[in-house]
Amino acid sequence: MKFLTHIGIFLLTLVGCQKSDDKTINNIGVDELREKLNKDIQLVDVRTTAEYKEGYIGKAVNIDVLKKSFEGEIQKFDKNKPIYIYCRSGKRSANAARKMKALGFTEIYDLSGGYIAWKKKK
């Protein structure tokens, strides 16, 4: 039994240490996103409607990642063009990014620190 436990731990360590070449989901900083806003980009705020109404970035479209309609609404965007997403702090947007990747989005940029980081650098 001890042997199997050691093998299991070894395998988990091996899998956890593998490098991924997947560049689908990328983190982006506030300054980088600020530069991108000068262009016509796909920008999505995945917070609640109430949070969005309190303030948002640029021409962001609000699609709440916690709603059942998220997957249907997000698919209105071009999956083959870069898409930029953010939430309040980064947790919900990471969840949204995983969902979007599963839906076939090829280049997702998630704002590090979310809207909180954005407001701090204003």
Side-chain angles (χ1 to χ4, degrees):
M1 187 67 170
K2 209 175 200 181
F3 175 75
L4 290 175
T5 303
H6 288 277
I7 293 293
I9 292 171
F10 172 75
L11 290 175
L12 285 174
T13 303
L14 184 64
V15 170
C17 291
Q18 285 180 329
K19 268 192 161 183
S20 173
D21 291 332
D22 183 12
K23 299 292 183 194
T24 304
I25 302 172
N26 306 279
N27 287 323
I28 188 170
V30 170
D31 293 334
E32 290 174 279
L33 180 58
R34 205 176 297 280
E35 287 177 24
K36 299 290 181 185
L37 290 177
N38 295 328
K39 300 174 184 169
D40 184 28
I41 64 168
Q42 301 184 112
L43 180 61
V44 180
D45 181 326
V46 300
R47 299 176 298 158
T48 65
T49 303
E51 289 173 302
Y52 179 80
K53 286 180 179 178
E54 290 176 9
Y56 54 89
I57 300 170
K59 296 179 182 177
V61 175
N62 182 225
I63 305 176
D64 186 346
V65 69
L66 300 177
K67 288 191 175 181
K68 290 181 181 180
S69 60
F70 176 79
E71 290 184 10
E73 290 182 50
I74 200 70
Q75 291 194 68
K76 295 175 184 172
F77 289 88
D78 189 337
K79 294 179 182 182
N80 297 308
K81 289 185 179 177
I83 187 164
Y84 300 82
I85 61 173
Y86 68 93
C87 65
R88 189 179 76 81
S89 65
K91 291 179 184 177
R92 285 176 284 174
S93 57
N95 179 31
R98 286 189 297 275
K99 288 181 179 185
M100 292 165 65
K101 179 180 175 182
L103 292 169
F105 283 84
T106 59
E107 197 173 349
I108 304 163
Y109 292 90
D110 185 359
L111 177 61
S112 297
Y115 192 68
I116 291 172
W118 179 267
K119 282 187 72 170
K120 282 183 182 178
K121 279 212 160 184
K122 256 188 164 179

